[in-house]
Coordinates of all heavy atoms in Angstrom, one line a residue:
M1 N 43.3 16.3 -14.8 CA 42.4 17.4 -14.8 C 42.0 17.8 -13.3 O 41.8 17.0 -12.5 CB 41.1 17.0 -15.5 CG 40.3 18.2 -16.0 SD 38.9 17.8 -17.0 CE 37.6 18.1 -15.9
A2 N 42.0 19.1 -13.1 CA 41.7 19.6 -11.7 C 40.3 19.4 -11.4 O 39.4 19.5 -12.2 CB 42.0 21.1 -11.7
G3 N 40.0 19.0 -10.1 CA 38.6 18.8 -9.7 C 38.1 20.2 -9.2 O 38.7 21.2 -9.4
L4 N 36.9 20.1 -8.6 CA 36.3 21.3 -8.2 C 36.2 21.4 -6.7 O 35.3 22.0 -6.1 CB 34.9 21.4 -8.8 CG 34.8 21.5 -10.3 CD1 33.3 21.4 -10.8 CD2 35.4 22.8 -10.8
E5 N 37.2 20.7 -6.0 CA 37.1 20.6 -4.6 C 37.2 21.9 -3.8 O 36.9 22.0 -2.7 CB 38.0 19.5 -4.0 CG 39.4 19.4 -4.5 CD 39.5 18.8 -5.9 OE1 39.1 17.7 -6.1 OE2 40.1 19.5 -6.7
N6 N 37.8 22.9 -4.5 CA 37.9 24.2 -3.9 C 36.7 25.1 -4.0 O 36.7 26.2 -3.5 CB 39.1 25.0 -4.4 CG 40.4 24.3 -4.1 OD1 40.5 23.7 -3.0 ND2 41.4 24.3 -5.0
Y7 N 35.7 24.6 -4.6 CA 34.4 25.4 -4.8 C 33.4 24.9 -3.8 O 33.4 23.8 -3.4 CB 33.9 25.3 -6.2 CG 34.8 25.8 -7.3 CD1 35.9 25.0 -7.8 CD2 34.7 27.1 -7.7 CE1 36.8 25.5 -8.7 CE2 35.6 27.6 -8.7 CZ 36.6 26.8 -9.2 OH 37.5 27.4 -10.1
D8 N 32.5 25.9 -3.5 CA 31.5 25.6 -2.5 C 30.2 25.4 -3.3 O 29.6 26.4 -3.7 CB 31.4 26.7 -1.5 CG 30.4 26.4 -0.5 OD1 29.7 25.4 -0.5 OD2 30.1 27.3 0.4
F9 N 29.6 24.2 -3.3 CA 28.4 24.0 -4.0 C 27.2 24.0 -3.1 O 26.1 23.6 -3.5 CB 28.5 22.7 -4.8 CG 29.4 22.8 -6.0 CD1 30.7 22.3 -6.0 CD2 29.0 23.5 -7.2 CE1 31.6 22.5 -7.1 CE2 29.8 23.6 -8.3 CZ 31.1 23.1 -8.2
Q10 N 27.4 24.4 -1.9 CA 26.4 24.3 -0.9 C 25.1 25.1 -1.3 O 24.0 24.7 -0.9 CB 26.9 24.8 0.4 CG 26.9 23.6 1.4 CD 27.3 23.9 2.8 OE1 27.4 25.1 3.2 NE2 27.6 22.9 3.5
N11 N 25.3 26.2 -2.0 CA 24.1 27.0 -2.3 C 23.5 26.6 -3.6 O 22.5 27.2 -4.0 CB 24.5 28.5 -2.4 CG 24.8 29.1 -1.0 OD1 24.3 28.6 -0.1 ND2 25.7 30.1 -1.0
L12 N 24.0 25.6 -4.2 CA 23.4 25.1 -5.4 C 22.2 24.2 -5.0 O 22.4 23.2 -4.4 CB 24.5 24.2 -6.2 CG 24.0 23.7 -7.6 CD1 23.8 24.9 -8.5 CD2 25.1 22.8 -8.1
S13 N 21.1 24.6 -5.4 CA 19.9 23.8 -5.1 C 18.8 23.9 -6.1 O 18.8 24.9 -6.9 CB 19.4 24.1 -3.7 OG 18.8 25.4 -3.7
N14 N 18.0 22.9 -6.2 CA 16.9 22.9 -7.1 C 15.6 23.4 -6.5 O 15.0 22.7 -5.7 CB 16.7 21.4 -7.6 CG 15.7 21.3 -8.7 OD1 15.1 22.2 -9.1 ND2 15.5 20.0 -9.1
A15 N 15.2 24.6 -6.9 CA 14.0 25.2 -6.3 C 12.8 24.4 -6.6 O 11.7 24.6 -5.9 CB 13.9 26.7 -6.8
A16 N 12.8 23.6 -7.6 CA 11.6 22.8 -7.9 C 11.3 21.8 -6.8 O 10.1 21.5 -6.6 CB 11.9 22.0 -9.2
E17 N 12.3 21.5 -6.0 CA 12.1 20.5 -4.9 C 11.1 21.0 -3.9 O 10.2 20.3 -3.5 CB 13.5 20.4 -4.1 CG 14.1 19.1 -4.3 CD 15.5 19.1 -3.6 OE1 15.5 19.2 -2.4 OE2 16.5 18.9 -4.3
K18 N 11.2 22.3 -3.6 CA 10.3 22.9 -2.6 C 8.8 22.8 -3.1 O 7.9 22.5 -2.4 CB 10.7 24.3 -2.4 CG 10.5 24.9 -1.0 CD 11.0 26.3 -1.0 CE 11.0 26.9 0.4 NZ 11.6 28.2 0.4
I19 N 8.7 23.1 -4.4 CA 7.3 23.2 -5.0 C 6.8 21.7 -5.1 O 5.6 21.5 -4.8 CB 7.4 23.9 -6.3 CG1 8.0 25.2 -6.2 CG2 6.0 24.0 -6.9 CD1 8.2 26.0 -7.5
V20 N 7.6 20.8 -5.5 CA 7.2 19.4 -5.7 C 6.8 18.8 -4.3 O 5.8 18.2 -4.2 CB 8.3 18.6 -6.3 CG1 8.0 17.1 -6.1 CG2 8.4 18.9 -7.8
L21 N 7.6 19.1 -3.3 CA 7.3 18.5 -1.9 C 6.0 19.1 -1.4 O 5.2 18.4 -0.8 CB 8.5 18.8 -1.0 CG 9.8 18.0 -1.3 CD1 10.8 18.3 -0.2 CD2 9.5 16.5 -1.4
G22 N 5.8 20.4 -1.7 CA 4.5 21.0 -1.2 C 3.3 20.4 -1.9 O 2.3 20.1 -1.3
E23 N 3.5 20.2 -3.2 CA 2.4 19.5 -4.0 C 2.2 18.1 -3.6 O 1.0 17.6 -3.4 CB 2.7 19.6 -5.5 CG 1.7 19.0 -6.4 CD 0.3 19.5 -6.3 OE1 0.2 20.7 -5.9 OE2 -0.6 18.9 -6.8
L24 N 3.3 17.4 -3.3 CA 3.2 16.0 -2.8 C 2.4 15.9 -1.5 O 1.5 15.1 -1.3 CB 4.6 15.4 -2.7 CG 4.7 13.9 -2.3 CD1 4.0 13.0 -3.2 CD2 6.2 13.5 -2.2
A25 N 2.7 16.8 -0.6 CA 2.0 16.9 0.7 C 0.6 17.1 0.5 O -0.3 16.5 1.1 CB 2.6 18.0 1.6
R26 N 0.2 18.0 -0.4 CA -1.1 18.4 -0.7 C -1.9 17.2 -1.2 O -3.0 16.8 -0.8 CB -1.2 19.6 -1.7 CG -2.5 20.3 -1.8 CD -2.5 21.3 -2.9 NE -2.4 20.7 -4.2 CZ -3.5 20.3 -4.9 NH1 -4.7 20.4 -4.4 NH2 -3.3 19.8 -6.1
Q27 N -1.3 16.5 -2.2 CA -2.0 15.4 -2.9 C -2.1 14.2 -1.9 O -3.1 13.5 -1.9 CB -1.3 15.0 -4.2 CG -1.5 16.0 -5.3 CD -1.2 15.5 -6.7 OE1 -1.3 14.3 -6.9 NE2 -0.8 16.4 -7.6
L28 N -1.1 13.9 -1.1 CA -1.2 12.8 -0.2 C -2.3 13.1 0.8 O -3.0 12.2 1.3 CB 0.2 12.6 0.5 CG 1.2 11.9 -0.3 CD1 2.5 11.8 0.5 CD2 0.8 10.5 -0.7
D29 N -2.4 14.3 1.2 CA -3.4 14.7 2.2 C -4.8 14.5 1.6 O -5.7 14.2 2.4 CB -3.2 16.2 2.5 CG -3.9 16.6 3.8 OD1 -3.7 15.9 4.8 OD2 -4.6 17.6 3.8
Q30 N -5.0 14.8 0.3 CA -6.3 14.7 -0.3 C -6.6 13.3 -0.8 O -7.8 13.0 -1.1 CB -6.4 15.7 -1.4 CG -6.5 17.1 -0.9 CD -6.6 18.1 -2.1 OE1 -6.5 17.7 -3.3 NE2 -6.9 19.3 -1.8
C31 N -5.6 12.5 -0.9 CA -5.7 11.2 -1.6 C -6.6 10.3 -0.8 O -6.4 10.0 0.4 CB -4.3 10.6 -1.7 SG -4.3 9.2 -2.8
K32 N -7.6 9.7 -1.5 CA -8.5 8.8 -0.8 C -8.1 7.4 -0.9 O -8.5 6.5 -0.1 CB -9.9 9.0 -1.3 CG -10.4 10.4 -1.2 CD -11.7 10.5 -0.3 CE -11.9 11.9 0.3 NZ -11.6 13.0 -0.6
Q33 N -7.3 7.1 -1.9 CA -6.9 5.7 -2.1 C -5.8 5.3 -1.1 O -5.2 6.2 -0.4 CB -6.4 5.4 -3.5 CG -5.7 6.5 -4.2 CD -5.0 6.1 -5.5 OE1 -4.6 5.0 -5.7 NE2 -4.8 7.1 -6.4
D34 N -5.6 4.0 -1.0 CA -4.7 3.5 0.0 C -3.3 3.6 -0.4 O -2.8 2.7 -1.1 CB -5.1 2.0 0.3 CG -4.6 1.6 1.6 OD1 -4.1 2.4 2.4 OD2 -4.6 0.3 1.8
V35 N -2.7 4.7 -0.1 CA -1.3 5.0 -0.5 C -0.3 4.7 0.6 O -0.6 5.1 1.7 CB -1.1 6.4 -1.0 CG1 0.3 6.7 -1.4 CG2 -2.1 6.7 -2.1
C36 N 0.7 3.9 0.3 CA 1.7 3.7 1.4 C 2.5 5.0 1.7 O 2.9 5.7 0.8 CB 2.7 2.6 1.0 SG 3.9 2.3 2.2
R37 N 2.5 5.4 2.9 CA 3.2 6.6 3.3 C 4.5 6.3 4.1 O 4.9 7.1 4.9 CB 2.3 7.5 4.1 CG 1.2 8.2 3.2 CD -0.1 8.2 4.0 NE -1.2 8.2 3.0 CZ -1.8 9.3 2.6 NH1 -1.5 10.4 3.1 NH2 -2.8 9.2 1.7
C38 N 5.1 5.2 3.8 CA 6.4 4.9 4.5 C 7.4 5.8 3.9 O 7.3 6.3 2.8 CB 6.7 3.4 4.5 SG 7.5 2.9 3.0
N39 N 8.5 6.0 4.6 CA 9.6 6.9 4.2 C 10.1 6.5 2.8 O 10.2 7.4 1.9 CB 10.7 6.9 5.2 CG 11.7 8.0 4.9 OD1 11.4 9.2 5.1 ND2 12.9 7.7 4.4
D40 N 10.3 5.2 2.5 CA 10.8 4.8 1.2 C 9.9 5.2 0.1 O 10.4 5.7 -0.9 CB 11.0 3.3 1.2 CG 12.2 2.8 2.1 OD1 13.0 3.7 2.5 OD2 12.4 1.6 2.3
C41 N 8.6 4.9 0.3 CA 7.7 5.2 -0.8 C 7.5 6.7 -1.0 O 7.5 7.2 -2.2 CB 6.3 4.6 -0.5 SG 6.3 2.8 -0.6
V42 N 7.4 7.5 0.0 CA 7.2 8.9 -0.2 C 8.5 9.6 -0.8 O 8.4 10.4 -1.7 CB 6.8 9.6 1.2 CG1 6.8 11.1 1.1 CG2 5.5 9.1 1.6
V43 N 9.7 9.2 -0.4 CA 10.9 9.7 -0.9 C 11.0 9.3 -2.4 O 11.4 10.1 -3.3 CB 12.1 9.3 -0.1 CG1 13.4 9.7 -0.8 CG2 12.1 9.9 1.3
D44 N 10.5 8.1 -2.7 CA 10.5 7.6 -4.0 C 9.6 8.4 -4.9 O 9.9 8.8 -6.1 CB 10.0 6.1 -4.0 CG 10.7 5.3 -5.1 OD1 11.8 5.6 -5.5 OD2 10.0 4.3 -5.5
M45 N 8.4 8.8 -4.4 CA 7.5 9.6 -5.1 C 8.1 11.0 -5.4 O 8.0 11.5 -6.6 CB 6.2 9.9 -4.3 CG 5.3 8.7 -4.1 SD 4.1 9.0 -2.8 CE 3.5 7.4 -2.4
A46 N 8.8 11.5 -4.5 CA 9.4 12.9 -4.7 C 10.4 12.8 -5.7 O 10.5 13.6 -6.6 CB 10.0 13.3 -3.3
A47 N 11.3 11.7 -5.7 CA 12.4 11.6 -6.7 C 11.8 11.4 -8.1 O 12.2 12.0 -9.0 CB 13.2 10.4 -6.3
M48 N 10.8 10.6 -8.2 CA 10.1 10.3 -9.4 C 9.5 11.6 -10.0 O 9.7 11.9 -11.2 CB 9.1 9.2 -9.2 CG 8.9 8.3 -10.4 SD 7.7 7.0 -10.0 CE 8.8 5.8 -9.3
A49 N 8.8 12.3 -9.2 CA 8.2 13.5 -9.7 C 9.2 14.5 -10.1 O 9.1 15.2 -11.2 CB 7.3 14.1 -8.6
L50 N 10.3 14.6 -9.3 CA 11.3 15.6 -9.6 C 12.0 15.3 -10.9 O 12.5 16.2 -11.6 CB 12.4 15.7 -8.5 CG 11.9 16.7 -7.4 CD1 12.7 16.4 -6.1 CD2 12.1 18.1 -7.8
N51 N 12.1 14.0 -11.3 CA 12.7 13.6 -12.5 C 11.9 13.9 -13.7 O 12.3 14.0 -14.9 CB 13.1 12.1 -12.5 CG 14.4 11.8 -11.8 OD1 15.2 12.7 -11.8 ND2 14.5 10.6 -11.2
M52 N 10.6 14.2 -13.5 CA 9.7 14.5 -14.6 C 9.5 16.0 -14.9 O 9.1 16.4 -15.9 CB 8.3 13.9 -14.3 CG 8.3 12.4 -14.4 SD 6.6 11.7 -14.3 CE 6.6 11.3 -12.5
V53 N 9.8 16.8 -13.9 CA 9.6 18.2 -14.1 C 10.9 19.0 -14.4 O 12.0 18.5 -14.2 CB 8.9 18.9 -12.8 CG1 7.6 18.2 -12.5 CG2 9.9 18.9 -11.6
K54 N 10.7 20.2 -15.0 CA 11.9 21.0 -15.3 C 12.5 21.4 -14.0 O 11.9 22.0 -13.1 CB 11.4 22.2 -16.1 CG 12.5 23.1 -16.6 CD 11.9 24.1 -17.7 CE 11.2 25.2 -17.1 NZ 12.0 26.3 -16.6
P55 N 13.8 21.2 -13.9 CA 14.5 21.6 -12.7 C 14.6 23.2 -12.7 O 14.6 23.8 -13.7 CB 15.9 21.0 -12.8 CG 16.1 20.7 -14.2 CD 14.7 20.5 -14.9
L56 N 14.8 23.7 -11.5 CA 14.9 25.1 -11.3 C 16.2 25.4 -10.4 O 16.1 25.9 -9.3 CB 13.7 25.7 -10.6 CG 12.4 25.8 -11.3 CD1 11.3 26.3 -10.4 CD2 12.5 26.7 -12.5
Y57 N 17.3 25.0 -11.0 CA 18.5 25.2 -10.2 C 18.9 26.6 -10.0 O 18.7 27.5 -10.9 CB 19.7 24.4 -10.9 CG 19.7 23.0 -10.5 CD1 19.1 22.0 -11.3 CD2 20.2 22.6 -9.2 CE1 19.1 20.7 -10.9 CE2 20.1 21.3 -8.8 CZ 19.6 20.4 -9.6 OH 19.5 19.1 -9.2
R58 N 19.4 26.9 -8.8 CA 19.8 28.2 -8.5 C 21.1 28.1 -7.7 O 21.4 27.1 -7.2 CB 18.7 28.9 -7.7 CG 18.4 28.1 -6.4 CD 17.5 28.9 -5.6 NE 16.9 28.2 -4.5 CZ 17.2 28.4 -3.2 NH1 18.1 29.3 -2.9 NH2 16.7 27.7 -2.2
C59 N 21.8 29.3 -7.6 CA 23.1 29.2 -6.9 C 23.2 30.3 -5.9 O 24.2 30.6 -5.4 CB 24.2 29.2 -7.8 SG 24.2 30.6 -8.9
S60 N 22.1 31.0 -5.6 CA 22.1 32.0 -4.6 C 20.7 32.3 -4.1 O 19.8 31.6 -4.4 CB 22.7 33.3 -5.2 OG 21.7 33.8 -6.2
L61 N 20.6 33.3 -3.3 CA 19.3 33.7 -2.7 C 18.4 34.2 -3.8 O 17.2 34.2 -3.6 CB 19.5 34.8 -1.7 CG 20.2 34.4 -0.4 CD1 20.4 35.6 0.5 CD2 19.3 33.3 0.3
L62 N 18.9 34.5 -4.9 CA 18.1 34.9 -6.0 C 17.1 33.8 -6.4 O 16.1 34.1 -7.0 CB 19.0 35.2 -7.3 CG 19.2 36.6 -7.7 CD1 20.4 36.7 -8.6 CD2 18.0 37.1 -8.4
G63 N 17.4 32.6 -6.0 CA 16.6 31.5 -6.3 C 15.2 31.7 -5.7 O 14.2 31.2 -6.2
E64 N 15.1 32.4 -4.6 CA 13.8 32.6 -4.0 C 12.9 33.3 -5.0 O 11.7 33.2 -5.0 CB 13.9 33.5 -2.7 CG 14.6 32.7 -1.6 CD 13.9 31.4 -1.2 OE1 12.7 31.3 -1.2 OE2 14.6 30.4 -0.9
L65 N 13.5 34.2 -5.8 CA 12.8 34.9 -6.9 C 12.2 33.9 -7.9 O 11.1 34.0 -8.4 CB 13.6 35.9 -7.6 CG 13.9 37.2 -6.8 CD1 14.8 38.1 -7.6 CD2 12.5 37.9 -6.6
Y66 N 13.1 32.9 -8.3 CA 12.7 31.9 -9.2 C 11.5 31.2 -8.7 O 10.5 30.9 -9.4 CB 13.8 30.8 -9.4 CG 14.9 31.2 -10.2 CD1 16.1 30.3 -10.2 CD2 15.0 32.3 -11.1 CE1 17.2 30.6 -11.0 CE2 16.1 32.5 -11.8 CZ 17.2 31.7 -11.8 OH 18.3 32.0 -12.5
T67 N 11.6 30.8 -7.4 CA 10.5 30.1 -6.8 C 9.2 30.9 -6.8 O 8.1 30.4 -7.2 CB 10.8 29.7 -5.3 OG1 12.1 29.3 -5.3 CG2 9.9 28.6 -4.8
A68 N 9.3 32.2 -6.5 CA 8.1 33.0 -6.5 C 7.6 33.1 -7.9 O 6.3 33.1 -8.1 CB 8.5 34.4 -6.0
E69 N 8.4 33.2 -8.9 CA 8.0 33.4 -10.3 C 7.3 32.1 -10.7 O 6.3 32.1 -11.4 CB 9.3 33.6 -11.1 CG 9.1 34.5 -12.3 CD 10.4 34.8 -13.0 OE1 11.0 35.8 -12.5 OE2 10.8 34.1 -13.9
A70 N 8.0 30.9 -10.4 CA 7.4 29.6 -10.8 C 6.0 29.4 -10.2 O 5.2 28.8 -10.8 CB 8.3 28.5 -10.4
K71 N 5.8 30.0 -9.0 CA 4.5 29.8 -8.3 C 3.4 30.6 -9.0 O 2.2 30.3 -8.8 CB 4.6 30.2 -6.9 CG 5.2 29.1 -6.0 CD 5.2 29.5 -4.6 CE 5.7 28.3 -3.8 NZ 6.3 28.6 -2.5
N72 N 3.8 31.5 -9.9 CA 2.8 32.2 -10.7 C 2.7 31.7 -12.1 O 1.9 32.2 -12.9 CB 3.2 33.7 -10.8 CG 3.0 34.4 -9.5 OD1 2.0 34.1 -8.7 ND2 3.9 35.3 -9.1
D73 N 3.5 30.7 -12.4 CA 3.5 30.1 -13.7 C 2.5 28.9 -13.8 O 2.9 27.8 -13.3 CB 4.9 29.7 -14.0 CG 5.1 29.1 -15.5 OD1 4.1 28.7 -16.1 OD2 6.2 29.1 -15.9
T74 N 1.3 29.1 -14.2 CA 0.3 28.1 -14.1 C 0.7 26.8 -14.9 O 0.4 25.7 -14.5 CB -1.1 28.6 -14.6 OG1 -0.9 29.5 -15.7 CG2 -1.8 29.3 -13.4
A75 N 1.3 27.0 -16.1 CA 1.7 25.8 -16.9 C 2.7 25.0 -16.1 O 2.6 23.8 -16.1 CB 2.3 26.3 -18.2
Y76 N 3.6 25.7 -15.5 CA 4.7 24.9 -14.7 C 4.0 24.2 -13.5 O 4.3 23.0 -13.3 CB 5.7 25.9 -14.2 CG 6.9 25.2 -13.6 CD1 7.7 24.3 -14.3 CD2 7.2 25.4 -12.2 CE1 8.7 23.6 -13.7 CE2 8.2 24.7 -11.6 CZ 9.0 23.8 -12.3 OH 10.0 23.2 -11.7
L77 N 3.1 24.9 -12.8 CA 2.5 24.3 -11.7 C 1.6 23.1 -12.1 O 1.6 22.1 -11.4 CB 1.6 25.3 -11.0 CG 2.4 26.4 -10.2 CD1 1.4 27.4 -9.5 CD2 3.3 25.8 -9.2
K78 N 1.0 23.2 -13.3 CA 0.2 22.1 -13.8 C 1.1 20.9 -14.1 O 0.7 19.8 -13.8 CB -0.5 22.6 -15.1 CG -1.4 21.6 -15.7 CD -2.8 21.9 -15.4 CE -3.7 20.8 -15.9 NZ -4.4 20.0 -14.8
S79 N 2.3 21.2 -14.6 CA 3.2 20.1 -14.9 C 3.7 19.4 -13.6 O 3.8 18.2 -13.6 CB 4.4 20.5 -15.8 OG 5.3 21.3 -15.0
I80 N 3.8 20.1 -12.6 CA 4.2 19.6 -11.3 C 3.0 18.7 -10.7 O 3.2 17.6 -10.2 CB 4.6 20.7 -10.3 CG1 6.0 21.2 -10.8 CG2 4.7 20.2 -8.9 CD1 6.8 22.0 -9.8
E81 N 1.8 19.3 -10.8 CA 0.7 18.6 -10.3 C 0.5 17.2 -11.0 O 0.3 16.2 -10.4 CB -0.5 19.4 -10.7 CG -1.7 19.4 -9.7 CD -2.8 20.3 -10.2 OE1 -2.6 21.5 -10.2 OE2 -3.9 19.8 -10.6
E82 N 0.7 17.2 -12.3 CA 0.6 16.0 -13.1 C 1.7 15.0 -12.7 O 1.5 13.8 -12.5 CB 0.7 16.3 -14.6 CG -0.7 16.8 -15.1 CD -0.6 17.3 -16.5 OE1 0.5 17.1 -17.2 OE2 -1.5 17.9 -17.0
A83 N 2.9 15.5 -12.6 CA 4.1 14.7 -12.3 C 3.9 14.0 -10.9 O 4.2 12.8 -10.7 CB 5.4 15.5 -12.3
V84 N 3.4 14.8 -10.0 CA 3.2 14.2 -8.6 C 2.1 13.2 -8.6 O 2.3 12.1 -8.0 CB 2.9 15.4 -7.6 CG1 2.4 14.8 -6.3 CG2 4.1 16.3 -7.4
G85 N 1.0 13.4 -9.4 CA 0.0 12.5 -9.5 C 0.4 11.2 -10.1 O 0.1 10.1 -9.6
L86 N 1.2 11.3 -11.1 CA 1.8 10.1 -11.8 C 2.7 9.3 -10.9 O 2.7 8.1 -10.8 CB 2.6 10.6 -13.0 CG 2.0 10.2 -14.4 CD1 2.7 11.0 -15.5 CD2 2.3 8.7 -14.6
A87 N 3.6 10.1 -10.2 CA 4.5 9.4 -9.3 C 3.8 8.7 -8.2 O 4.2 7.6 -7.8 CB 5.4 10.5 -8.6
I88 N 2.7 9.3 -7.6 CA 2.0 8.6 -6.6 C 1.4 7.3 -7.1 O 1.5 6.2 -6.5 CB 0.8 9.5 -6.0 CG1 1.5 10.6 -5.2 CG2 -0.1 8.7 -5.1 CD1 0.5 11.7 -4.7
D89 N 0.8 7.3 -8.3 CA 0.2 6.2 -9.0 C 1.3 5.1 -9.2 O 1.0 3.9 -8.9 CB -0.4 6.5 -10.3 CG -1.7 7.2 -10.2 OD1 -2.3 7.3 -9.1 OD2 -2.2 7.7 -11.2
R90 N 2.4 5.5 -9.7 CA 3.4 4.5 -10.0 C 4.0 3.8 -8.8 O 4.2 2.6 -8.7 CB 4.6 5.2 -10.8 CG 4.3 5.4 -12.2 CD 5.5 5.7 -13.0 NE 5.2 6.3 -14.3 CZ 6.0 7.0 -15.0 NH1 7.3 7.2 -14.6 NH2 5.6 7.5 -16.1
V91 N 4.2 4.6 -7.7 CA 4.7 4.0 -6.5 C 3.7 3.1 -5.9 O 4.0 2.1 -5.3 CB 5.2 5.1 -5.5 CG1 5.6 4.5 -4.1 CG2 6.4 5.8 -6.1
C92 N 2.4 3.5 -6.0 CA 1.3 2.6 -5.5 C 1.3 1.3 -6.2 O 1.1 0.3 -5.5 CB 0.0 3.3 -5.8 SG -0.6 4.3 -4.5
S93 N 1.6 1.2 -7.5 CA 1.5 -0.1 -8.1 C 2.9 -0.8 -8.1 O 3.0 -2.0 -8.4 CB 1.1 0.1 -9.6 OG 1.7 1.1 -10.2
N94 N 3.9 -0.1 -7.6 CA 5.2 -0.6 -7.5 C 6.0 0.0 -6.3 O 6.8 0.9 -6.5 CB 6.0 -0.4 -8.8 CG 7.3 -1.2 -8.9 OD1 7.5 -2.0 -8.1 ND2 8.1 -0.9 -9.9
P95 N 5.6 -0.4 -5.1 CA 6.1 0.3 -3.9 C 7.6 0.4 -3.8 O 8.3 -0.5 -4.2 CB 5.5 -0.5 -2.8 CG 4.3 -1.2 -3.4 CD 4.7 -1.5 -4.8
G96 N 8.0 1.5 -3.2 CA 9.4 1.8 -3.1 C 10.1 1.0 -1.9 O 11.3 0.9 -1.8
H97 N 9.2 0.5 -1.0 CA 9.7 -0.2 0.2 C 10.1 -1.6 -0.2 O 9.6 -2.2 -1.1 CB 8.7 -0.2 1.4 CG 7.4 -0.7 1.0 ND1 6.2 0.1 1.0 CD2 7.0 -1.9 0.6 CE1 5.2 -0.6 0.6 NE2 5.6 -1.9 0.4
A98 N 11.0 -2.2 0.7 CA 11.4 -3.6 0.4 C 10.3 -4.6 0.7 O 9.5 -4.3 1.6 CB 12.7 -3.9 1.1
Ligands
LIG1 ZN1 6.0 1.9 1.5

């Protein structure tokens, strides 16, 4: 079977990433509890939160529209807020660092 090596997937990206990272930054900034902010833990939090929310894959600049639309979708934003909160809690009790 032919592979897809002749295609360019560079523009394929998940617009949810941007929103999740923004929310993660906001919550870490406000977080009063002792949360480990080492690279391993924070990347782990982002991955965990991203696995919980609906992805917003896009393949072109049109994706910016998705992002703008999602930013007005309160139910979606709420789900991201919850996912990020949960991810922070989970990494706190089970740190991503060695
Ligand atoms: Zn850590």
Side-chain angles (χ1 to χ4, degrees):
M1 203 175 105
L4 296 173
E5 46 285 300
N6 293 329
Y7 296 85
D8 179 4
F9 289 100
Q10 245 182 13
N11 288 331
L12 185 66
S13 67
N14 183 0
E17 252 177 60
K18 215 178 187 175
I19 307 176
V20 163
L21 292 182
E23 177 61 19
L24 182 57
R26 195 185 68 87
Q27 288 196 28
L28 283 177
D29 197 48
Q30 291 182 350
C31 193
K32 302 239 158 42
Q33 36 169 330
D34 199 12
V35 177
C36 179
R37 286 140 206 264
C38 80
N39 192 70
D40 287 349
C41 286
V42 173
V43 173
D44 213 26
M45 289 168 199
M48 214 178 269
L50 274 163
N51 279 331
M52 288 187 261
V53 302
K54 185 167 77 82
L56 289 176
Y57 275 98
R58 58 173 170 111
C59 56
S60 69
L61 290 175
L62 253 161
E64 293 302 321
L65 282 177
Y66 283 169
T67 317
E69 216 171 272
K71 279 186 174 156
N72 289 322
D73 184 341
T74 38
Y76 186 64
L77 291 182
K78 182 99 188 115
S79 74
I80 288 196
E81 212 178 294
E82 281 170 9
V84 168
L86 247 164
I88 293 177
D89 283 351
R90 283 198 198 159
V91 172
C92 269
S93 43
N94 190 10
H97 55 246

